[in-house]
Amino acid sequence: MRRMLTTHLLLALLAGYSAVPASETNLAVADERGETSGAVAKREAGEQATRMDFARWLADFRREARSEGIGEATLARALDGLRYRPRVIELDRAQPEFVRPIWQYLDSAVSATRVTTGRQRLAAHRATARQMEQRYGVPAEVIVAIWGIESNYGGNFGNFSTLEALASLAYEGRRRDFARSELLAALRILEDGDIAPERMLGSWAGAMGHTQFLPSSFEAYAVDGDGDGRRDIWGSIPDVMASTAHYLDRAGWQAGQPWGIEVRVPDGFPFADAELSIRHPSRDWTQRGVRTLDGTPLPDFAAASVIVPAGAKGPAFLVGPNFRAILRYNNATSYALAVGILADKIAGRGGVVQTWPRAEQPLSRDQLREMQRLLNQRGFAVGVPDGIMGPNTRRGLREFQAAVGTPPDGFATRSLLERLKR
């Protein structure tokens, strides 16, 4: 009898809440947002129109997925009730005004806490990490370093539904075709039974699990490391480590070689040669005066590059094939350096010795566009100003630096921008 009375009371309360007029709810929302009731009605009408349009898009996509061989059971589990996520589009379109200098990125990516936690994670999973090292040739500390940088060792791999994130991006994102193909890949993963839809979680951009594989990367490189018949990069650390090592192995990792080493370049070094695209054997760099910090021989790379990610005033590095393999995982020099340095520190080796030019202030994207525009005006062709520091902009900036008598390192600074303005 008591249970029946409680149930009736709950039903009465719910009925009371549902009886609140919609107009009152709208007025409450309007008051909270500082909007008029008319503005709220207009916004809600727009949201409703978007939901209906997304539903039509999703129906079209469902037909395409069916034609690609995705079964009805998978389509129902994955797409029934799938929501459009405006927050995903907001994040996709957002661009930070400033790009962090590499030293600030490394301060965070290779923090003392991350190094300590990495050593703890390696100790806890040493047998698994060593097993994957033996199988794929990728050092255990490198596997752990990628895990640390991608998701802070699983502490933050995202709580977005991969399906909803990719569907939203495919519907309205900047790279719709790419997101659509990744969404199809996600459905194929579900069809194979590796993971349930509700556990397929990751970033707003569709990267999944502890080491942030896109669905297409999962299809190509994910491995069943624990032998249970599934590839689970969300809950199985053996699967995470095996998949990460397999990815690097397929990307060209060369067992027994380091990723690179910090070096000193001689006075008068031609900084135009400090590009990843320029490769020479280590012996050639030795003949050109490039030296290790402790005087030992350079690593024996058949094709090595010298890079100076913060210009002539910052550290220099000689990097080889394994650095390029890390770039296949994430094509950013700062990322690959972070992985290499974090792996070294987890293994007990030292970090960067030379100092970063921390007094230099980063350029905003608008300032970089202005620099590109001024370089074009002065005959140092860099292409359409886009606020992105690519190889054409570095080349044009080096030409300008050489013309005004400063080291042509292609490193954009506010002082160079002011000089261009003058």
Side-chain angles (χ1 to χ4, degrees), residues 129-215:
R130 294 303 181 200
Q131 179 186 1
M132 301 314 163
E133 179 176 348
Q134 292 171 4
R135 183 183 302 176
Y136 297 107
V138 180
E141 58 269 20
V142 173
I143 299 171
V144 173
I146 287 183
W147 183 20
I149 290 175
E150 289 292 344
S151 70
N152 199 21
Y153 309 106
N156 183 27
F157 59 68
N159 57 7
F160 283 90
S161 159
T162 298
L163 297 167
E164 289 186 344
L166 289 172
S168 299
L169 292 169
Y171 168 68
E172 200 178 357
R174 291 177 296 116
R175 297 189 296 166
R176 300 184 189 188
D177 290 343
F178 172 78
R180 193 180 188 105
S181 67
E182 291 294 336
L183 183 56
L184 282 169
L187 292 179
R188 290 193 293 268
I189 294 167
L190 297 175
E191 183 90 337
D192 290 340
D194 286 301
I195 196 72
E198 61 273 13
R199 288 191 58 221
M200 186 179 268
L201 302 174
S203 74
W204 64 265
M208 311 181 300
H210 282 262
T211 45
Q212 296 289 278
F213 278 27
L214 286 168

Coordinates of all heavy atoms in Angstrom, one line a residue, residues 129-215:
A129 N 53.6 -3.4 -22.0 CA 54.3 -2.4 -22.8 C 55.6 -3.1 -23.4 O 55.9 -2.9 -24.6 CB 54.7 -1.2 -22.0
R130 N 56.3 -3.9 -22.6 CA 57.4 -4.6 -23.2 C 57.0 -5.6 -24.2 O 57.8 -5.8 -25.2 CB 58.2 -5.3 -22.0 CG 58.8 -4.3 -21.0 CD 59.8 -3.3 -21.7 NE 60.4 -2.4 -20.7 CZ 60.9 -1.2 -21.0 NH1 60.9 -0.8 -22.2 NH2 61.4 -0.5 -20.0
Q131 N 55.9 -6.3 -24.0 CA 55.4 -7.3 -25.0 C 55.2 -6.6 -26.3 O 55.6 -7.1 -27.4 CB 54.2 -7.9 -24.5 CG 53.6 -8.9 -25.5 CD 52.2 -9.4 -25.0 OE1 51.7 -9.0 -23.9 NE2 51.6 -10.3 -25.7
M132 N 54.6 -5.4 -26.3 CA 54.3 -4.7 -27.5 C 55.6 -4.1 -28.2 O 55.7 -4.0 -29.4 CB 53.3 -3.6 -27.3 CG 52.0 -4.1 -26.7 SD 51.3 -5.5 -27.6 CE 50.1 -6.1 -26.4
E133 N 56.5 -3.7 -27.3 CA 57.8 -3.3 -27.8 C 58.5 -4.4 -28.6 O 59.1 -4.2 -29.6 CB 58.7 -2.8 -26.6 CG 60.1 -2.3 -27.1 CD 60.9 -1.8 -25.9 OE1 60.3 -1.5 -24.8 OE2 62.1 -1.6 -26.1
Q134 N 58.5 -5.6 -28.0 CA 59.1 -6.8 -28.7 C 58.4 -7.1 -30.0 O 59.0 -7.5 -31.0 CB 59.1 -8.0 -27.8 CG 60.0 -7.8 -26.6 CD 59.9 -8.9 -25.5 OE1 59.1 -9.9 -25.7 NE2 60.6 -8.8 -24.4
R135 N 57.1 -6.9 -30.0 CA 56.3 -7.3 -31.2 C 56.5 -6.3 -32.3 O 56.6 -6.7 -33.5 CB 54.8 -7.4 -30.8 CG 53.9 -7.9 -32.0 CD 52.5 -7.9 -31.5 NE 52.2 -8.8 -30.4 CZ 51.0 -8.9 -29.8 NH1 50.0 -8.2 -30.2 NH2 50.9 -9.8 -28.8
Y136 N 56.5 -5.0 -32.0 CA 56.5 -4.0 -33.0 C 57.7 -3.1 -33.1 O 57.9 -2.3 -34.0 CB 55.3 -3.1 -32.8 CG 53.9 -3.8 -32.9 CD1 53.2 -4.0 -31.8 CD2 53.5 -4.2 -34.2 CE1 52.0 -4.7 -31.9 CE2 52.3 -4.8 -34.3 CZ 51.5 -5.1 -33.1 OH 50.3 -5.8 -33.2
G137 N 58.6 -3.3 -32.1 CA 59.9 -2.5 -32.2 C 59.8 -1.1 -31.7 O 60.7 -0.3 -31.7
V138 N 58.6 -0.7 -31.1 CA 58.4 0.7 -30.6 C 58.7 0.7 -29.1 O 58.0 -0.1 -28.4 CB 57.0 1.2 -30.9 CG1 56.8 2.6 -30.4 CG2 56.7 1.1 -32.4
P139 N 59.6 1.5 -28.6 CA 59.9 1.5 -27.2 C 58.7 1.7 -26.3 O 57.8 2.5 -26.6 CB 60.9 2.6 -27.0 CG 61.5 2.7 -28.4 CD 60.4 2.4 -29.3
A140 N 58.7 1.0 -25.1 CA 57.6 1.1 -24.2 C 57.3 2.6 -23.8 O 56.1 3.0 -23.7 CB 57.8 0.3 -23.0
E141 N 58.4 3.3 -23.6 CA 58.2 4.7 -23.1 C 57.6 5.6 -24.2 O 56.8 6.6 -23.9 CB 59.5 5.3 -22.6 CG 60.6 5.3 -23.7 CD 61.5 4.1 -23.6 OE1 61.1 3.1 -23.1 OE2 62.6 4.2 -24.1
V142 N 57.8 5.3 -25.5 CA 57.1 6.0 -26.6 C 55.6 5.7 -26.6 O 54.8 6.6 -26.8 CB 57.8 5.7 -27.9 CG1 57.0 6.3 -29.1 CG2 59.3 6.2 -27.9
I143 N 55.3 4.4 -26.4 CA 53.9 4.1 -26.4 C 53.2 4.8 -25.2 O 52.1 5.4 -25.4 CB 53.7 2.5 -26.2 CG1 54.4 1.8 -27.3 CG2 52.3 2.2 -26.0 CD1 54.5 0.3 -27.1
V144 N 53.8 4.8 -24.1 CA 53.2 5.5 -22.9 C 53.1 7.0 -23.1 O 52.2 7.7 -22.7 CB 54.0 5.1 -21.6 CG1 53.5 6.0 -20.4 CG2 53.8 3.7 -21.3
A145 N 54.2 7.6 -23.8 CA 54.2 9.0 -24.0 C 53.0 9.5 -24.9 O 52.3 10.5 -24.6 CB 55.5 9.5 -24.7
I146 N 52.7 8.7 -26.0 CA 51.6 9.0 -26.8 C 50.3 8.9 -26.0 O 49.4 9.8 -26.1 CB 51.6 8.1 -28.0 CG1 52.7 8.5 -29.0 CG2 50.2 8.2 -28.7 CD1 52.7 7.8 -30.3
W147 N 50.2 7.9 -25.2 CA 49.0 7.7 -24.3 C 48.9 9.0 -23.4 O 47.8 9.5 -23.3 CB 49.2 6.5 -23.5 CG 48.1 6.1 -22.6 CD1 46.8 6.5 -22.6 CD2 48.2 5.2 -21.5 NE1 46.1 5.9 -21.6 CE2 46.9 5.1 -20.9 CE3 49.2 4.5 -20.9 CZ2 46.6 4.3 -19.8 CZ3 49.0 3.7 -19.8 CH2 47.7 3.6 -19.2
G148 N 50.0 9.4 -22.9 CA 49.9 10.6 -22.0 C 49.5 11.9 -22.7 O 48.7 12.7 -22.2
I149 N 50.0 12.1 -23.9 CA 49.7 13.4 -24.6 C 48.3 13.3 -25.2 O 47.6 14.3 -25.2 CB 50.8 13.6 -25.6 CG1 52.1 14.0 -24.9 CG2 50.4 14.8 -26.5 CD1 53.3 14.2 -25.7
E150 N 47.9 12.2 -25.7 CA 46.6 12.1 -26.3 C 45.5 12.2 -25.4 O 44.4 12.9 -25.7 CB 46.5 10.8 -27.1 CG 47.4 10.7 -28.4 CD 46.9 11.7 -29.5 OE1 45.8 12.2 -29.4 OE2 47.7 11.9 -30.4
S151 N 45.6 11.6 -24.2 CA 44.4 11.6 -23.3 C 44.8 11.8 -21.8 O 43.9 11.5 -21.0 CB 43.6 10.3 -23.5 OG 44.3 9.2 -22.9
N152 N 46.0 12.2 -21.5 CA 46.5 12.3 -20.2 C 46.3 10.9 -19.5 O 45.7 10.8 -18.4 CB 45.8 13.4 -19.4 CG 46.5 13.8 -18.1 OD1 47.7 13.5 -18.0 ND2 45.8 14.4 -17.2
Y153 N 46.8 9.9 -20.2 CA 46.7 8.5 -19.7 C 45.3 8.0 -19.4 O 45.0 7.3 -18.4 CB 47.6 8.4 -18.4 CG 49.0 8.9 -18.6 CD1 49.4 10.1 -18.0 CD2 49.9 8.2 -19.4 CE1 50.6 10.6 -18.2 CE2 51.2 8.7 -19.6 CZ 51.6 9.9 -19.0 OH 52.8 10.4 -19.2
G154 N 44.4 8.4 -20.3 CA 43.0 8.0 -20.2 C 42.2 8.9 -19.3 O 41.0 8.7 -19.2
G155 N 42.7 9.9 -18.7 CA 42.0 10.8 -17.9 C 41.1 11.7 -18.6 O 40.1 12.3 -18.0
N156 N 41.3 11.9 -19.9 CA 40.5 12.9 -20.6 C 40.5 12.5 -22.1 O 41.2 13.2 -22.9 CB 41.0 14.3 -20.4 CG 40.1 15.3 -21.1 OD1 39.0 15.1 -21.4 ND2 40.7 16.5 -21.5
F157 N 39.8 11.5 -22.5 CA 39.7 11.2 -23.9 C 38.4 11.6 -24.5 O 38.1 11.4 -25.7 CB 40.0 9.7 -24.3 CG 39.1 8.7 -23.6 CD1 37.8 8.6 -24.0 CD2 39.6 7.8 -22.7 CE1 37.0 7.6 -23.5 CE2 38.8 6.8 -22.2 CZ 37.5 6.7 -22.5
G158 N 37.6 12.4 -23.7 CA 36.4 13.0 -24.3 C 35.2 12.3 -23.9 O 35.2 11.0 -23.8
N159 N 34.1 13.0 -23.8 CA 32.8 12.3 -23.5 C 31.8 12.6 -24.6 O 30.6 12.4 -24.3 CB 32.3 12.7 -22.1 CG 32.1 14.2 -22.0 OD1 32.3 15.0 -23.0 ND2 31.8 14.7 -20.8
F160 N 32.2 13.0 -25.8 CA 31.3 13.2 -26.9 C 31.0 11.8 -27.5 O 31.9 11.0 -27.7 CB 31.9 14.1 -28.0 CG 31.8 15.5 -27.6 CD1 32.9 16.1 -27.0 CD2 30.7 16.3 -28.0 CE1 32.9 17.5 -26.7 CE2 30.7 17.7 -27.7 CZ 31.8 18.3 -27.1
S161 N 29.7 11.6 -27.8 CA 29.4 10.4 -28.6 C 30.1 10.6 -30.0 O 29.9 11.6 -30.7 CB 27.9 10.3 -28.8 OG 27.6 9.5 -30.0
T162 N 30.9 9.6 -30.4 CA 31.6 9.7 -31.7 C 30.6 9.8 -32.8 O 30.8 10.5 -33.8 CB 32.6 8.5 -31.8 OG1 33.6 8.6 -30.8 CG2 33.3 8.5 -33.2
L163 N 29.6 9.0 -32.7 CA 28.5 9.0 -33.7 C 27.9 10.4 -33.9 O 27.7 10.9 -35.0 CB 27.5 7.9 -33.4 CG 28.0 6.5 -33.4 CD1 27.0 5.6 -32.8 CD2 28.4 6.0 -34.8
E164 N 27.5 11.0 -32.7 CA 26.9 12.3 -32.8 C 27.8 13.4 -33.3 O 27.4 14.3 -34.0 CB 26.3 12.6 -31.4 CG 25.0 11.8 -31.1 CD 24.4 12.2 -29.8 OE1 25.0 13.0 -29.0 OE2 23.2 11.8 -29.6
A165 N 29.1 13.3 -32.8 CA 30.1 14.3 -33.2 C 30.3 14.2 -34.7 O 30.3 15.3 -35.4 CB 31.4 14.1 -32.5
L166 N 30.5 13.0 -35.3 CA 30.8 12.9 -36.7 C 29.6 13.2 -37.5 O 29.7 13.8 -38.6 CB 31.3 11.5 -37.0 CG 32.7 11.2 -36.5 CD1 33.1 9.7 -36.7 CD2 33.8 12.1 -37.2
A167 N 28.4 12.8 -37.0 CA 27.2 13.2 -37.8 C 27.0 14.7 -37.8 O 26.6 15.2 -38.9 CB 26.0 12.5 -37.1
S168 N 27.2 15.4 -36.8 CA 27.1 16.8 -36.7 C 28.1 17.5 -37.7 O 27.7 18.4 -38.4 CB 27.3 17.3 -35.3 OG 26.3 16.8 -34.4
L169 N 29.3 17.0 -37.7 CA 30.3 17.5 -38.6 C 30.0 17.2 -40.0 O 30.3 18.0 -40.9 CB 31.7 17.0 -38.2 CG 32.3 17.4 -36.8 CD1 33.5 16.6 -36.5 CD2 32.6 18.9 -36.9
A170 N 29.5 16.0 -40.3 CA 29.2 15.7 -41.7 C 28.0 16.5 -42.2 O 27.9 16.7 -43.4 CB 28.9 14.2 -41.7
Y171 N 27.1 16.9 -41.3 CA 25.9 17.7 -41.6 C 26.3 19.1 -41.9 O 25.8 19.7 -42.8 CB 24.9 17.5 -40.5 CG 23.7 18.5 -40.6 CD1 22.8 18.4 -41.6 CD2 23.6 19.5 -39.6 CE1 21.7 19.3 -41.7 CE2 22.5 20.4 -39.7 CZ 21.6 20.3 -40.7 OH 20.6 21.2 -40.8
E172 N 27.2 19.7 -41.0 CA 27.4 21.1 -41.1 C 28.8 21.6 -40.8 O 29.1 22.8 -40.7 CB 26.5 21.8 -40.0 CG 26.2 23.3 -40.3 CD 25.3 23.9 -39.3 OE1 24.8 23.2 -38.4 OE2 25.1 25.1 -39.3
G173 N 29.8 20.7 -40.7 CA 31.1 21.1 -40.4 C 31.9 21.6 -41.6 O 31.4 21.7 -42.7
R174 N 33.2 21.9 -41.3 CA 34.0 22.5 -42.4 C 34.5 21.5 -43.4 O 34.7 21.8 -44.5 CB 35.2 23.2 -41.8 CG 34.9 24.4 -41.0 CD 36.2 25.0 -40.3 NE 36.7 24.1 -39.3 CZ 37.9 23.5 -39.4 NH1 38.7 23.7 -40.5 NH2 38.4 22.7 -38.5
R175 N 34.6 20.2 -42.9 CA 35.1 19.1 -43.8 C 34.0 18.0 -43.8 O 34.2 16.9 -43.2 CB 36.4 18.6 -43.3 CG 37.5 19.6 -43.4 CD 38.9 19.0 -43.1 NE 39.0 18.5 -41.7 CZ 39.9 17.6 -41.3 NH1 40.8 17.2 -42.2 NH2 39.9 17.2 -40.1
R176 N 32.9 18.3 -44.5 CA 31.8 17.4 -44.4 C 32.0 16.0 -45.0 O 31.6 15.0 -44.5 CB 30.6 18.1 -45.1 CG 30.2 19.4 -44.4 CD 28.9 20.0 -45.0 NE 28.7 21.3 -44.5 CZ 27.7 22.1 -44.7 NH1 26.7 21.6 -45.5 NH2 27.5 23.3 -44.2
D177 N 32.7 16.0 -46.2 CA 33.0 14.7 -46.8 C 33.9 13.8 -46.0 O 33.7 12.6 -45.9 CB 33.6 14.9 -48.2 CG 32.6 15.5 -49.2 OD1 31.4 15.5 -48.9 OD2 33.1 16.1 -50.2
F178 N 34.9 14.5 -45.4 CA 35.8 13.7 -44.5 C 35.0 13.1 -43.3 O 35.1 12.0 -43.0 CB 36.9 14.7 -44.0 CG 37.8 14.1 -42.9 CD1 38.8 13.2 -43.3 CD2 37.6 14.4 -41.6 CE1 39.6 12.6 -42.3 CE2 38.4 13.8 -40.6 CZ 39.4 12.9 -41.0
A179 N 34.2 14.0 -42.7 CA 33.4 13.5 -41.5 C 32.4 12.4 -41.9 O 32.2 11.4 -41.2 CB 32.7 14.7 -40.9
R180 N 31.8 12.5 -43.1 CA 30.9 11.5 -43.6 C 31.6 10.2 -43.7 O 31.1 9.1 -43.3 CB 30.3 12.0 -44.9 CG 29.1 11.1 -45.3 CD 28.5 11.7 -46.6 NE 27.2 11.0 -47.0 CZ 26.1 11.6 -46.9 NH1 26.0 12.9 -46.4 NH2 25.0 11.0 -47.2
S181 N 32.8 10.2 -44.3 CA 33.5 8.9 -44.5 C 34.0 8.3 -43.1 O 33.9 7.1 -43.0 CB 34.8 9.2 -45.4 OG 35.7 10.0 -44.7
E182 N 34.3 9.2 -42.2 CA 34.7 8.7 -40.9 C 33.4 8.1 -40.1 O 33.5 7.1 -39.4 CB 35.3 9.8 -40.0 CG 36.7 10.3 -40.5 CD 37.7 9.2 -40.3 OE1 37.6 8.3 -39.5 OE2 38.7 9.2 -41.1
L183 N 32.3 8.7 -40.4 CA 31.1 8.2 -39.8 C 30.7 6.8 -40.3 O 30.3 5.9 -39.6 CB 29.9 9.1 -40.0 CG 28.6 8.8 -39.4 CD1 28.7 8.6 -37.9 CD2 27.5 9.9 -39.7
L184 N 30.9 6.6 -41.6 CA 30.7 5.3 -42.2 C 31.7 4.3 -41.6 O 31.4 3.1 -41.3 CB 30.9 5.3 -43.7 CG 29.8 5.9 -44.5 CD1 30.2 6.1 -46.0 CD2 28.6 4.9 -44.5
A185 N 33.0 4.7 -41.4 CA 34.0 3.8 -40.7 C 33.5 3.5 -39.3 O 33.7 2.3 -38.9 CB 35.3 4.5 -40.7
A186 N 33.0 4.4 -38.6 CA 32.5 4.2 -37.2 C 31.4 3.1 -37.3 O 31.3 2.2 -36.4 CB 32.0 5.4 -36.6
L187 N 30.5 3.2 -38.3 CA 29.4 2.2 -38.4 C 30.0 0.8 -38.7 O 29.5 -0.2 -38.2 CB 28.4 2.6 -39.4 CG 27.6 3.8 -39.1 CD1 26.7 4.1 -40.3 CD2 26.8 3.7 -37.9
R188 N 31.1 0.7 -39.5 CA 31.7 -0.6 -39.8 C 32.3 -1.2 -38.5 O 32.3 -2.4 -38.3 CB 32.7 -0.4 -40.9 CG 32.1 -0.1 -42.3 CD 33.2 -0.3 -43.4 NE 34.2 0.7 -43.3 CZ 34.2 1.9 -43.9 NH1 33.1 2.3 -44.7 NH2 35.2 2.8 -43.8
I189 N 32.9 -0.3 -37.7 CA 33.4 -0.8 -36.4 C 32.3 -1.4 -35.5 O 32.5 -2.5 -35.0 CB 34.1 0.4 -35.7 CG1 35.4 0.8 -36.5 CG2 34.5 0.0 -34.3 CD1 35.9 2.2 -36.0
L190 N 31.2 -0.7 -35.5 CA 30.1 -1.3 -34.7 C 29.6 -2.6 -35.3 O 29.2 -3.5 -34.6 CB 28.9 -0.2 -34.7 CG 29.3 1.1 -34.0 CD1 28.1 2.1 -34.1 CD2 29.6 0.8 -32.5
E191 N 29.5 -2.6 -36.7 CA 29.1 -3.8 -37.4 C 30.0 -5.0 -37.0 O 29.5 -6.1 -36.9 CB 29.1 -3.6 -38.9 CG 28.6 -4.7 -39.7 CD 27.1 -4.7 -39.9 OE1 26.4 -4.0 -39.1 OE2 26.6 -5.3 -40.9
D192 N 31.3 -4.7 -36.8 CA 32.3 -5.8 -36.5 C 32.2 -6.2 -35.1 O 32.7 -7.3 -34.7 CB 33.7 -5.3 -36.8 CG 34.0 -5.2 -38.3 OD1 33.3 -5.8 -39.1 OD2 35.0 -4.5 -38.6
G193 N 31.5 -5.4 -34.2 CA 31.3 -5.8 -32.8 C 32.4 -5.5 -31.9 O 32.4 -6.1 -30.8
D194 N 33.3 -4.6 -32.3 CA 34.4 -4.2 -31.4 C 33.9 -3.4 -30.1 O 34.5 -3.5 -29.1 CB 35.4 -3.4 -32.1 CG 36.3 -4.3 -33.1 OD1 36.9 -5.2 -32.6 OD2 36.3 -4.0 -34.3
I195 N 32.8 -2.6 -30.3 CA 32.4 -1.7 -29.2 C 30.9 -1.5 -29.4 O 30.4 -1.6 -30.5 CB 33.2 -0.4 -29.3 CG1 33.1 0.4 -28.0 CG2 32.8 0.4 -30.5 CD1 33.8 -0.2 -26.8
A196 N 30.3 -1.2 -28.3 CA 28.8 -0.8 -28.4 C 28.7 0.7 -28.6 O 29.6 1.5 -28.3 CB 28.2 -1.1 -27.0
P197 N 27.6 1.1 -29.3 CA 27.5 2.5 -29.7 C 27.7 3.5 -28.5 O 28.3 4.5 -28.6 CB 26.1 2.6 -30.3 CG 25.9 1.3 -30.8 CD 26.5 0.3 -29.8
E198 N 27.1 3.1 -27.3 CA 27.1 4.0 -26.2 C 28.5 4.1 -25.6 O 28.8 5.0 -24.8 CB 26.1 3.5 -25.1 CG 26.3 2.2 -24.6 CD 25.7 1.0 -25.4 OE1 25.2 1.3 -26.5 OE2 25.6 -0.1 -24.9
R199 N 29.4 3.2 -25.9 CA 30.8 3.3 -25.3 C 31.7 3.9 -26.3 O 32.9 4.1 -26.0 CB 31.3 1.9 -25.0 CG 30.6 1.3 -23.7 CD 31.4 0.0 -23.3 NE 32.8 0.3 -23.1 CZ 33.8 -0.5 -23.4 NH1 33.6 -1.6 -24.1 NH2 35.1 -0.1 -23.2
M200 N 31.2 4.2 -27.5 CA 32.1 4.8 -28.6 C 32.2 6.3 -28.3 O 31.5 7.1 -28.8 CB 31.6 4.5 -30.0 CG 32.5 5.0 -31.1 SD 31.8 4.6 -32.7 CE 32.6 3.0 -33.0
L201 N 33.1 6.7 -27.4 CA 33.2 8.0 -26.9 C 34.6 8.6 -27.3 O 35.6 7.9 -27.5 CB 33.1 8.1 -25.4 CG 31.8 7.6 -24.8 CD1 31.8 7.6 -23.3 CD2 30.6 8.4 -25.3
G202 N 34.7 9.9 -27.4 CA 35.9 10.6 -27.7 C 35.8 12.1 -27.8 O 34.9 12.7 -27.1
S203 N 36.6 12.7 -28.6 CA 36.6 14.2 -28.7 C 35.5 14.7 -29.6 O 34.9 13.9 -30.4 CB 38.0 14.6 -29.3 OG 38.1 14.3 -30.7
W204 N 35.3 16.0 -29.6 CA 34.3 16.6 -30.5 C 34.7 16.4 -32.0 O 33.8 16.4 -32.9 CB 34.2 18.1 -30.2 CG 35.4 18.9 -30.6 CD1 36.4 19.2 -29.7 CD2 35.8 19.4 -31.8 NE1 37.4 19.9 -30.3 CE2 37.1 20.1 -31.6 CE3 35.2 19.4 -33.1 CZ2 37.7 20.7 -32.7 CZ3 35.9 20.0 -34.2 CH2 37.1 20.6 -33.9
A205 N 36.0 16.1 -32.3 CA 36.4 15.9 -33.7 C 36.3 14.5 -34.2 O 36.6 14.2 -35.3 CB 37.8 16.5 -33.8
G206 N 35.8 13.6 -33.3 CA 35.7 12.2 -33.7 C 36.8 11.3 -33.4 O 36.7 10.1 -33.7
A207 N 37.9 11.8 -32.7 CA 39.0 10.9 -32.3 C 38.5 10.2 -31.0 O 37.9 10.7 -30.1 CB 40.2 11.7 -32.0
M208 N 38.9 8.9 -30.9 CA 38.3 8.0 -30.0 C 39.3 7.4 -29.0 O 40.4 7.1 -29.4 CB 37.6 6.8 -30.7 CG 36.6 7.3 -31.8 SD 35.8 5.9 -32.6 CE 37.2 4.9 -33.2
G209 N 38.9 7.2 -27.8 CA 39.6 6.3 -26.9 C 40.9 6.9 -26.3 O 41.2 8.1 -26.4
H210 N 41.6 6.0 -25.6 CA 42.8 6.4 -24.9 C 43.9 7.1 -25.7 O 44.5 8.1 -25.3 CB 43.5 5.2 -24.2 CG 42.7 4.8 -22.9 ND1 43.2 5.1 -21.7 CD2 41.6 4.0 -22.8 CE1 42.4 4.6 -20.8 NE2 41.4 3.9 -21.4
T211 N 44.0 6.6 -27.0 CA 45.1 7.2 -27.8 C 44.5 7.9 -29.1 O 45.2 8.1 -30.1 CB 46.1 6.2 -28.2 OG1 45.5 4.9 -28.6 CG2 47.0 5.9 -27.0
Q212 N 43.2 8.2 -29.0 CA 42.5 9.1 -29.9 C 42.7 8.7 -31.4 O 43.2 9.5 -32.2 CB 43.1 10.5 -29.7 CG 42.7 11.1 -28.3 CD 41.2 11.4 -28.2 OE1 40.8 12.5 -28.6 NE2 40.5 10.5 -27.6
F213 N 42.2 7.5 -31.7 CA 42.1 7.1 -33.1 C 40.9 7.6 -33.8 O 39.8 7.5 -33.2 CB 42.1 5.6 -33.2 CG 43.4 4.9 -33.1 CD1 44.5 5.4 -32.4 CD2 43.6 3.6 -33.6 CE1 45.7 4.8 -32.3 CE2 44.8 3.0 -33.5 CZ 45.9 3.5 -32.8
L214 N 41.0 8.1 -35.0 CA 39.8 8.3 -35.8 C 39.3 7.0 -36.3 O 40.1 6.0 -36.3 CB 40.2 9.2 -37.0 CG 40.4 10.7 -36.7 CD1 41.0 11.4 -38.0 CD2 39.0 11.4 -36.4
P215 N 38.0 6.9 -36.6 CA 37.5 5.6 -37.0 C 38.3 4.9 -38.1 O 38.5 3.7 -38.1 CB 36.1 5.9 -37.4 CG 35.7 7.0 -36.5 CD 36.9 7.9 -36.4

